[in-house]
């Protein structure tokens, strides 16, 4: 399903600009984050100085509001930067998982085909041995021996290919399991971060409501 989704022609057209767009958004979020840090430091120092100077309440409330907004911007830009990186990693893992699943299906088909071919050759060998047993002269025996040797070589070759394909299939299966496990861990981490973000957003809304009152 993911392979079909990512094979849309639209994604191939967007892939040319995707890295540039990703880097642009990262740079923008970093600039916003640094600006929020600067604002927090600025209004924190002003807040302390004004509190120590015992200025009027309206100016102190205005500074407090500026400090609250700068802290809110800091949290939002920081979480947006982190979640954007998580989204990038999630898309990468999903792409790898789709490729591994496609490779897994292809290897499984190849293993089944090799197994069926080996069974077919073995059945033909047995029929040939039964048909030629007890009759024929020296030439027929030599021809039968040559045919048997040829069939044995083909069977051995197919067995070797089957073993090689089985090893590749097992390796691909292991890689798919590892990618799935990593994707599950990332999903749990993402859910936990979303819960923390929602809780932080609720705290910010409560503080803003109290400020309005």
């Amino acid at each position: 399903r993911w392979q079909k989704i990512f094979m849309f022609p639209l994604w191939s057209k967007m892939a040319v600009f995707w890295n540039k767009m990703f880097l642009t958004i990262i740079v923008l979020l970093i600039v916003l984050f640094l600006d929020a840090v600067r604002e927090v430091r600025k209004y924190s120092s002003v807040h302390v100085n004004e509190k120590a100077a015992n200025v009027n309440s309206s100016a102190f409330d205005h500074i407090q509001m500026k400090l609250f907004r700068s802290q809110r911007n800091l949290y939002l830009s920081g979480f947006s930067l982190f979640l954007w990186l998580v989204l990038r990693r999630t898309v990468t893992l999903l792409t790898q998982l789709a490729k591994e699943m496609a490779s897994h299906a292809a290897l499984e088909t190849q293993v089944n085909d090799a197994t069926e071919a080996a069974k077919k050759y073995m059945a033909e060998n047995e029929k040939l041995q039964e048909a030629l047993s007890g009759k024929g002269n020296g030439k027929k025996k030599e021809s039968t021996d040559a045919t048997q040797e040829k069939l044995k070589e083909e069977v051995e070759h197919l067995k070797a290919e089957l073993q090689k394909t089985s090893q590749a299939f097992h390796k691909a299966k292991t890689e798919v399991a590892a990618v799935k496990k990593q994707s599950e861990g990332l999903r749990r981490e993402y859910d936990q971060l979303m819960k923390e973000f929602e809780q932080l957003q609720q705290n910010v809304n409560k503080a803003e409501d109290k400020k309005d009152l």
Side-chain angles (χ1 to χ4, degrees):
R1 182 182 304 172
W2 286 111
Q3 185 184 13
K4 291 181 180 179
I5 292 175
F6 288 124
M7 288 300 289
F8 285 158
L10 177 64
W11 304 124
S12 60
K13 295 179 181 178
M14 292 180 59
V16 181
F17 307 100
W18 171 248
N19 289 328
K20 294 181 181 179
M21 183 177 68
F22 173 75
L23 292 176
T24 302
I25 295 176
I26 286 294
V27 171
L28 179 62
L29 290 175
I30 290 175
V31 170
L32 292 175
F33 180 76
L34 294 177
D35 182 69
V37 172
R38 183 184 63 83
E39 292 292 324
V40 168
R41 294 181 62 182
K42 173 183 175 182
Y43 288 110
S44 296
S45 60
V46 174
H47 175 76
V48 173
N49 294 333
E50 294 293 338
K51 186 176 182 180
N54 294 324
V55 297
N56 54 24
S57 60
S58 61
F60 184 75
D61 291 340
H62 181 72
I63 294 172
Q64 236 180 357
M65 180 185 66
K66 292 286 187 180
L67 178 61
F68 169 75
R69 289 181 177 177
S70 61
Q71 289 175 344
R72 180 191 62 187
N73 294 336
L74 176 65
Y75 293 139
L76 291 177
S77 60
F79 271 104
S80 299
L81 179 62
F82 181 74
L83 292 177
W84 184 249
L85 294 173
V86 170
L87 178 63
R88 168 79 172 189
R89 182 59 179 166
T90 303
V91 171
T92 303
L93 288 176
L94 288 175
T95 305
Q96 292 179 356
L97 181 61
K99 291 180 179 178
E100 292 296 334
M101 291 177 68
S103 176
H104 178 273
L107 286 174
E108 186 175 1
T109 304
Q110 190 176 358
V111 168
N112 293 332
D113 293 340
T115 304
E116 293 295 330
K119 290 180 179 179
K120 181 179 178 181
Y121 278 114
M122 292 178 68
E124 290 179 355
N125 188 21
E126 291 179 357
K127 289 180 180 179
L128 184 60
Q129 287 180 357
E130 291 177 358
L132 297 177
S133 61
K135 41 183 177 176
N137 50 22
K139 293 183 179 180
K140 289 184 179 180
K141 289 182 179 179
E142 291 177 359
S143 177
T144 302
D145 293 338
T147 305
Q148 288 180 353
E149 289 296 329
K150 185 177 180 180
L151 288 173
K152 286 181 180 179
E153 291 177 359
E154 291 180 355
V155 170
E156 291 297 330
H157 179 68
L158 287 172
K159 285 182 179 179
E161 288 185 355
L162 179 61
Q163 184 177 4
K164 187 185 297 185
T165 308
S166 299
Q167 292 176 356
F169 175 72
H170 179 70
K171 182 180 179 181
K173 189 176 181 180
T174 305
E175 291 177 355
V176 169
V179 172
K180 284 184 178 180
K181 184 177 180 181
Q182 190 176 5
S183 178
E184 287 295 326
L186 184 61
R187 184 182 61 79
R188 289 194 296 269
E189 184 179 356
Y190 177 76
D191 293 339
Q192 182 66 27
L193 287 172
M194 288 302 298
K195 291 180 182 179
E196 294 179 359
F197 179 73
E198 290 177 358
Q199 184 177 1
L200 181 61
Q201 188 68 31
Q202 291 176 0
N203 294 334
V204 170
N205 292 334
K206 289 180 180 179
E208 191 172 6
D209 294 339
K210 291 182 180 179
K211 189 64 181 179
D212 295 336
L213 294 175

